[in-house]
Amino acid sequence: MTNILLVEELERSFDDLLAVAGVSFFVESGETYGLLGPNGAGKTTMISMIAGLLEADRGSIRVAGQPMATTSTAAKRAIGLVPQDIAIYPDLTAKENLAFFGSLYGMRGAALNARIETVLEIVGLRDRADDRSDQYSGGMKRRLNIAVGLLHEPQLLILDEPTVGVDPQSRNAILESVEALSTDGMSVLYTTHYMEEAERLCDRVGIIDNGLLVAEGSRRDLVDGIGQNDTVHVSGTGDLRSATEALRSAEGVVQAAEAHGVITVMVDRAAGRLPSILATCGEAGVSVTALDVSEPNLEAVFLHLTGKALRDET
C-alpha cells in the first residue's frame, strides 16, 4: 500500500490560539481514516489545510505524492472535498448542479452524463435527480454535496462532519454511501465527533483534542490500550459538577466528566462499583434518573486520554 495522504508536523495558529499543533499522520490507498474529536478540536482547520484552502504556518502535506499548498493545482485535483457547509445551487436540480460542477473539472458530454448517473446512484438520489435542490431535505442536500465531491473520481475524498444536523434516515444513507466507497477501494478522510460513526466506518482513527493528535490506531488497538475499563453514563438532576469531582477520587474510577446533563465515568469492573457510584452521586446532591453501562469503546478511549467526555465542546 502507498500513502495517498502524508501530513507531517502540521501547525496553524490564529493570533494567540494554536488551532493545530504539530500533527502528523498518513492515509493509505483504499483506507478510511477518521479524525475523531469534539467541536473546536481543530479538525476543520486541519481539513482546510489538507485541501489547500488554508496555508499552514509550519509542516508539510502531500496528496497522491504531490505537495499541497493554497496554490497547488495538481494536488487539489486528487481531492474531492465535502465541506461542513452545503455548497450547491438551490435553484438547480441535482443533475444541473452536477453538470455545472463537472464542467469546472473539464468534464463533458457522454462521459459526464454517465458519471452523474453513477454518483447519484451512490448517494441514493437517482429518483430525485430532476428535482430542484431547494426542495430537498437537509440530509438530501448533504448527499448531493457528497455526489459533487465524487464527480471527478478523486483519489482522496474528504468528508468534514457530513452528518451534522441531518435526520436519522439521511444519516444512515450517508454512512452506507461511505461504506460502499470504502468497499470499492476509495481513500476517505472522515472527520466526526460521533464515536459510533468512527467505529462503524474507519480502518484507523486519529483522536484529536485541542489541536493535538493524542492517539491513533485501529479501534481494537485504541481500546486495548486502555485495558478493560467500562464506561458508566449517569443521568440525573442536581449538582452534577460536584458529583463529577467526587467521582474522580472514588475507588476504581479512572476518569469522570460531565457534559449536557450526563456524567461519564470510566471505571475498572463497573459491576462491582455501581453502588459506590450511586452513593457518591447521592451524597453530592444528585438525583439519578438513568444509568447505563457499556464495554470499552472509542468514547472510553477519548475520556481516558483527555479527561473529557467526547460530547464536551472545547
Side-chain angles (χ1 to χ4, degrees), residues 24 32 100 136 151 186 229 242 282 289:
S24 300
T32 298
F100 170 74
Y136 284 3
L151 196 57
M186 175 169 284
N229 296 311
S242 293
T289 57

Side-chain angles (χ1 to χ4, degrees), residues 135-243:
Q135 299 173 3
Y136 284 3
S137 67
M140 292 171 66
K141 290 175 183 177
R142 288 199 176 273
R143 285 151 62 189
L144 180 55
N145 228 25
I146 293 174
V148 171
L150 289 170
L151 196 57
H152 64 298
E153 298 185 75
Q155 294 175 261
L156 175 67
L157 180 67
I158 300 175
L159 297 163
D160 189 12
E161 303 272 10
T163 64
V164 170
V166 304
D167 60 275
Q169 183 178 0
S170 290
R171 183 186 186 203
N172 191 60
I174 289 170
L175 298 181
E176 287 180 349
S177 297
V178 177
E179 286 176 319
L181 294 171
S182 178
T183 300
D184 290 342
M186 175 169 284
S187 300
V188 178
L189 178 60
Y190 191 98
T191 82
T192 183
H193 63 272
Y194 297 125
M195 171 269 297
E196 65 273 19
E197 291 186 1
E199 291 192 321
R200 175 175 172 177
L201 298 176
C202 301
D203 301 302
R204 288 188 302 125
V205 175
I207 294 179
I208 302 291
D209 185 44
N210 291 329
L212 294 167
L213 184 69
V214 295
E216 71 168 354
S218 68
R219 176 197 176 278
R220 185 73 266 163
D221 290 341
L222 291 169
V223 168
D224 286 348
I226 66 169
Q228 295 303 309
N229 296 311
D230 298 321
T231 302
V232 180
H233 297 289
V234 182
S235 301
T237 59
D239 193 348
L240 298 177
R241 292 190 181 276
S242 293

Side-chain angles (χ1 to χ4, degrees), residues 209 248 255-258 264 301-309 312:
D209 185 44
R248 285 177 181 150
Q255 285 281 11
E258 184 271 331
T264 303
V301 173
F302 191 86
L303 178 61
H304 177 79
L305 292 171
T306 68
K308 294 181 292 188
D312 286 353

